[in-house]
Amino acid sequence: ETGVTQSPTHLIKTRGQQVTLRCSSQSGHNTVSWYQQALGQGPQFIFQYYREEENGRGNFPPRFSGLQFPNYSSELNVNALELDDSALYLCASSLVILAGEQETQYFGPGTRLLVL
Amino acid sequence: GQQVMQIPQYQHVQEGEDFTTYCNSSTTLSNIQWYKQRPGGHPVFLIQLVKSGEVKKQKRLTFQFGEAKKNSSLHITATQTTDVGTYFCAGYFRTDSWGKLQFGAGTQVVVTP
């Protein structure tokens, strides 16, 4: 167990709806990264939050947004859901001392989102 | 943009045999990380390689980082049924103030007893 938790574990939404996914980072970690993993593919980087600010983003549209709270937990929000958003959403926490320095990321169990 | 390619996509191995999975990046990496994901599970960190030409071993697993820091390999000897899963390499690309972890598509390993 990594100490990273995510909720909910599973979620079913319909196209056009909005969804919020939550992540609690491992104790002592200050950075949370979010990934989307479609079936049979590797995780794709969505964005990273460090010190409550987004400091890196992958190739995802603005309808993917997030927050990081003072306790370093994080939310991923997706608006106007599309069928292709169906995937496993993973968060990973890490301790970053210097911005840009990659430390080991510990993944949570993920949230499986199905968009109908 | 940066791309990380991984081959083979699938690997069927007889228990006791060895196999290797390879990872190639389109650009130079700051470091490379390897993860294992069991069916229905989440990626679990295995190792990180930082230095050019670095070689690290974990029991039956040997990880290498190329001299140019653009490729890497994972070699497993005497495969066991517990090695079943998908192995991902992930290259870390660093920009001025932040970095991004780019995963390969993974090598799915099936072990035949």
Side-chain angles (χ1 to χ4, degrees), chain B residues 83-103:
Chain B
D83 295 326
V84 165
T86 300
Y87 293 82
F88 293 99
C89 64
Y92 186 67
F93 300 88
R94 185 176 174 182
T95 62
D96 289 339
S97 60
W98 64 279
K100 182 177 82 169
L101 200 59
Q102 183 83 31
F103 279 78

Side-chain angles (χ1 to χ4, degrees), chain A residues 57-65:
Chain A
R57 191 176 184 94
N59 296 324
F60 282 82
R63 60 189 185 85
F64 286 79
S65 63

Side-chain angles (χ1 to χ4, degrees), chain B residues 36-39 81-87 107-111:
Chain B
K36 178 183 179 181
Q37 186 172 20
R38 293 184 182 274
T81 54
T82 54
D83 295 326
V84 165
T86 300
Y87 293 82
T107 294
Q108 184 178 345
V109 176
V110 175
V111 180

Side-chain angles (χ1 to χ4, degrees), chain A:
Chain A
E1 293 298 323
T2 62
V4 180
T5 61
Q6 291 186 244
S7 64
T9 56
H10 297 80
L11 201 54
I12 299 175
K13 291 285 189 178
T14 56
R15 195 170 44 182
Q17 286 188 310
Q18 177 265 344
V19 69
T20 297
L21 310 181
R22 295 177 175 83
C23 172
S24 291
S25 59
Q26 184 169 311
S27 177
H29 286 181
N30 58 9
T31 301
V32 173
S33 302
W34 285 93
Y35 295 84
Q36 179 195 66
Q37 186 177 25
L39 197 61
Q41 297 182 20
Q44 297 297 309
F45 176 72
I46 302 175
F47 43 52
Q48 180 183 77
Y49 277 84
Y50 171 62
R51 293 184 175 178
E52 300 179 50
E53 291 187 359
E54 182 183 302
N55 75 337
R57 191 176 184 94
N59 296 324
F60 282 82
R63 60 189 185 85
F64 286 79
S65 63
L67 286 172
Q68 187 179 33
F69 300 100
N71 67 354
Y72 304 117
S73 66
S74 178
E75 286 183 354
L76 164 65
N77 299 290
V78 187
N79 294 320
L81 283 167
E82 301 177 359
L83 298 180
D84 286 349
D85 295 333
S86 295
L88 176 66
Y89 288 86
L90 297 159
C91 79
S93 79
S94 58
L95 173 63
V96 172
I97 307 297
L98 292 173
E101 293 292 338
Q102 176 64 57
E103 300 296 334
T104 300
Q105 295 195 347
Y106 296 89
F107 282 83
T111 294
R112 294 191 183 274
L113 173 65
L114 176 61
V115 182
L116 301 175

